[in-house]
């Protein structure tokens, strides 16, 4: 026997240990996902490694959806772009029904990103619009990223809407509230770049703000890029000296990080100022062959300016003729390409309009249909309920009127069948009476009038004595000195099975509290240990038992 209990104890201990170990493993897994989420923007490579270390097969539905969301997000943060939306759909399907608004918003954003990187701008915009509609007003981080992605799409594919700057400015405002400097620099560079063509002074203001932030966080890559943007703006404004002042320190101190664009801009500025030696010096620093004919034309134009400054007019003229023919061919090709791009843009604009309209119309139609269905159901229910109640009440009224007409011929007789029908009809009427307080006319038809009460008391006592072995007469004989006629009426109605509310209506009272109080006094008068109802039920049971014997 001891050995049996020993085995049982070992089994329980092993089971508990297994449960604890499973729970610990699950806790560590969930902790890894939470940590990956916290590292997403500061250390995306570590975040991706943490997410990949967790097997989704070991997770429940909620954490599997969380894993899919984090995996997609970490891939984008590490410049790994998925070809399909299979993974993010796992998160989207779960959070659509899970009421986690923040994670649903994130899932909608990254669903749009999948379409964006796969060059489906209209579909991407539709998902960003859904994300914006779902995002909580206090969810600043996700709302800022939605505006940023919308700004990129408008800039690249839907420029005619003039919404790109508007969205970048909203994203910039929110990132300033969050204190996210890298995102602020990106937005400032985009806004400055978009203002370059029409408002160069405003463009330089935004680019200078971005440059200041880039140096503040020591982001040399963005700093050099913004310096180059500002220098080119100055060249377009013929501020060649300012352009040189901007670029020369960078190229001198960090030549290994300098780009061909910087060398071209310096060469162009020096050539425009009539300094061919410096222009030639930086022109010769250009590396690699031109990637396309446009870059080749730009290089040739700067070289023509340098040759002219050096006095090599013949060579400059010959190169100019070659460049002009090449530029004409480029312009012809660009016209064709622009026509194609315009057609594609119009197609995307049409799809975008449909997507934007369909998102709003879909919700409007759904809510309208639901509202109509609810109203129709309510109307049908109310109509059915009123019709059924009215039909039942009318039937009861007609039956009772028929019985009252017979009352004159039966009032001297103790007609058991008639009395039972009358009691049942009264009971049904009383129950319906409480259901229709708003309809006074029907209540008056159902109420127990004086004539009916008079008839009821006349036949009821004899009926109850016959039905329950003389119980009313027994009470009169044994408790007659203390029991009044009114008390006997309450006892008679209680024997008929009426509750306190129904007895109150029969006796003309507005509330059943008076009847309950009267029952308590009757109990005291009769000296009963149990309640009056229990006492009468016991008498009815004894009467049935006697009849059965």
């Amino acid at each position: 026997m001891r050995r049996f209990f020993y085995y049982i104890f070992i089994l329980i201990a092993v089971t508990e240990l297994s449960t604890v170990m499973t729970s610990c493993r699950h806790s560590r897994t969930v902790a890894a996902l939470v940590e990956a989420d916290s590292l997403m923007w500061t250390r995306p490579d570590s975040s991706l490694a943490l997410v990949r270390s967790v097997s989704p097969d070991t997770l429940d539905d909620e954490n599997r959806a969380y894993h899919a969301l984090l995996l997609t997000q970490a891939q984008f943060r590490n410049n790994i772009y998925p070809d399909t939306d299979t993974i993010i759909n796992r998160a989207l399907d779960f959070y659509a029904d899970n009421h986690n608004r923040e994670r649903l918003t994130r899932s909608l954003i990254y669903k749009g990103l999948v379409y964006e990187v796969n060059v489906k701008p209209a579909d991407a915009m539709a998902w960003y619009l859904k994300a914006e509609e779902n995002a909580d007003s206090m969810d600043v981080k996700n709302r800022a990223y939605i505006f940023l992605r919308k700004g990129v799409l408008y800039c690249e594919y839907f420029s005619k809407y003039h919404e790109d700057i508007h969205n970048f400015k909203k994203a910039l405002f929110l990132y300033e509230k969050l204190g996210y400097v890298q995102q602020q620099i990106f937005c400032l560079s985009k806004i400055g770049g978009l203002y370059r063509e029409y408002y160069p002074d405003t463009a330089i203001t935004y680019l200078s703000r971005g440059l200041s932030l880039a140096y503040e966080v020591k982001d040399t890559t963005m700093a050099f890029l913004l310096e180059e943007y500002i220098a080119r703006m100055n060249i377009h404004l013929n501020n060649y000296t300012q352009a040189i002042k901007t670029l020369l320190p960078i190229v001198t101190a960090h030549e290994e990080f300098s780009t061909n664009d910087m060398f071209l801009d310096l060469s162009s500025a020096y050539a425009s100022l009539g300094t061919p030696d410096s222009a030639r010096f930086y022109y010769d620093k250009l590396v690699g062959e031109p990637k396309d004919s446009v870059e080749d034309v730009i290089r040739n134009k700067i070289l023509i300016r340098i040759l002219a400054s050096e006095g090599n007019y013949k060579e400059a003229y010959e190169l100019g003729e070659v460049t002009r023919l090449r530029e004409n061919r480029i312009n012809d090709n660009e016209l064709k390409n622009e026509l194609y791009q315009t057609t594609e843009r119009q197609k995307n604009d049409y799809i975008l309009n449909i997507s934007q309209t369909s998102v709003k119309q879909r919700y409007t139609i759904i809510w309208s249909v639901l509202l109509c269905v609810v109203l129709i159901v309510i109307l049908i229910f109310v109509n059915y309920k009123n019709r059924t109640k009215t039909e039942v009440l009318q039937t009861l009224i007609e039956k009772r009127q028929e019985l009252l007409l017979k009352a004159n011929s039966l009032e001297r007789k103790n007609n058991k069948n008639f009395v039972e029908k009358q009691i049942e009809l009264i009971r049904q009427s009383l129950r319906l009476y409480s259901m229709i307080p708003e309809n006074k006319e029907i209540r008056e038809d159902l109420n127990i009038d004086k004539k009916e009460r008079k008839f009821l008391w006349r036949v009821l006592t004899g009926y109850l004595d016959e039905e329950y072995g003389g119980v009313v007469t027994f009470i009169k004989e044994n408790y007659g000195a203390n029991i009044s006629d009114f008390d006997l009426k309450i006892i008679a109605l209680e024997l008929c099975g009426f509750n306190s509310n129904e007895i109150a209506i029969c006796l003309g009272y507005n509330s059943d509290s008076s009847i309950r109080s009267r029952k308590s006094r009757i109990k005291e008068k009769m000296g009963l240990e149990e309640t009056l109802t229990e006492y009468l039920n016991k008498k009815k049971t004894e009467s049935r038992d006697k009849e059965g014997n």
Side-chain angles (χ1 to χ4, degrees), residues 338-350:
E338 185 178 351
L339 179 62
Y340 172 76
Q341 288 181 350
T342 302
T343 305
E344 287 297 305
R345 204 173 281 123
Q346 288 175 345
K347 189 193 304 179
N348 285 330
D349 290 345
Y350 174 72

Side-chain angles (χ1 to χ4, degrees), residues 23 39 101 165-166 172 191 205 208 215 248 307 331 348 363 374 404-405 439 466 492 519 537-538:
S23 177
L39 296 173
R101 194 169 179 180
I165 292 178
H166 178 61
L172 175 63
I191 296 169
T205 301
S208 298
Y215 278 123
L248 192 57
L307 291 170
N331 290 335
N348 285 330
Y363 286 106
V374 170
L404 285 174
L405 290 174
N439 196 324
E466 181 182 345
K519 284 183 181 181
N537 286 337
K538 185 169 69 173

Side-chain angles (χ1 to χ4, degrees), residues 292-309:
D292 53 42
S293 52
V294 176
E295 186 181 350
D296 188 26
V297 168
I298 293 171
R299 287 192 184 191
N300 285 347
K301 284 184 176 180
I302 294 173
L303 183 57
I304 291 167
R305 208 175 304 165
I306 295 171
L307 291 170
S309 299

Side-chain angles (χ1 to χ4, degrees), residues 112-359:
L113 263 173
V114 171
Y115 281 107
E116 183 180 341
V117 298
N118 286 284
V119 198
K120 296 179 180 179
D123 293 326
M125 183 65 78
W127 285 104
Y128 292 150
L129 291 171
K130 289 179 184 178
E132 183 180 359
E133 184 177 356
N134 181 77
D136 189 271
S137 58
M138 303 302 292
D139 189 359
V140 180
K141 188 175 178 180
N142 280 327
R143 288 178 64 239
Y145 197 47
I146 292 167
F147 291 134
L148 188 146
R149 297 318 315 169
K150 284 174 63 184
V152 171
L153 275 184
Y154 277 118
C155 181
E156 293 183 0
Y157 299 100
F158 310 109
S159 55
K160 81 166 195 175
Y161 286 100
H162 305 295
E163 287 286 332
D164 37 22
I165 292 178
H166 178 61
N167 277 277
F168 281 128
K169 283 185 174 180
K170 287 200 288 188
L172 175 63
F173 172 75
L174 294 176
Y175 281 128
E176 285 174 344
K177 288 178 66 176
L178 290 167
Y180 288 9
V181 179
Q182 293 290 349
Q183 286 76 9
Q184 290 178 52
I185 296 170
F186 179 82
C187 292
L188 288 166
S189 67
K190 286 293 184 182
I191 296 169
L194 290 167
Y195 272 133
R196 274 189 304 180
E197 186 174 353
Y198 304 105
Y199 305 103
D201 294 334
T202 305
I204 290 178
T205 301
Y206 278 98
L207 292 172
S208 298
R209 280 178 60 191
L211 180 63
S212 176
L213 285 175
Y215 278 123
E216 184 181 317
V217 297
K218 299 180 180 179
D219 187 347
T220 53
T221 302
M222 283 302 298
F224 293 167
L225 180 64
L226 288 166
E227 291 275 22
E228 199 273 324
Y229 284 171
I230 293 171
R232 185 156 300 180
M233 284 294 304
N234 284 313
I235 290 173
H236 287 313
L237 295 171
N238 299 324
N239 296 329
Y240 304 116
T241 303
Q242 185 61 42
I244 292 170
K245 285 181 180 179
T246 302
L247 286 178
L248 192 57
I250 299 173
V251 172
T252 303
H254 306 283
E255 186 171 344
E256 68 275 15
F257 297 113
S258 300
T259 62
N260 277 350
D261 287 337
M262 292 180 180
F263 294 137
L264 280 171
D265 288 339
L266 276 173
S267 181
S268 175
Y270 276 119
S272 300
L273 289 173
T275 313
D277 292 340
S278 297
R280 172 71 71 174
F281 175 77
Y282 287 107
Y283 186 85
D284 291 340
K285 286 184 177 292
L286 294 173
V287 296
E289 293 296 325
K291 295 179 181 178
D292 53 42
S293 52
V294 176
E295 186 181 350
D296 188 26
V297 168
I298 293 171
R299 287 192 184 191
N300 285 347
K301 284 184 176 180
I302 294 173
L303 183 57
I304 291 167
R305 208 175 304 165
I306 295 171
L307 291 170
S309 299
E310 293 172 341
N312 297 328
Y313 300 109
K314 180 181 179 182
E315 191 175 345
Y317 174 78
E318 291 173 351
L319 183 59
E321 286 296 307
V322 173
T323 303
R324 184 177 60 80
L325 293 172
R326 185 173 297 174
E327 190 172 18
N328 288 336
R329 285 198 302 272
I330 292 171
N331 290 335
D332 290 340
N333 291 331
E334 283 186 348
L335 284 173
K336 295 176 183 177
N337 188 44
E338 185 178 351
L339 179 62
Y340 172 76
Q341 288 181 350
T342 302
T343 305
E344 287 297 305
R345 204 173 281 123
Q346 288 175 345
K347 189 193 304 179
N348 285 330
D349 290 345
Y350 174 72
I351 296 171
L352 175 62
N353 281 326
I354 292 176
S355 300
Q356 289 175 323
T357 306
S358 63
V359 169

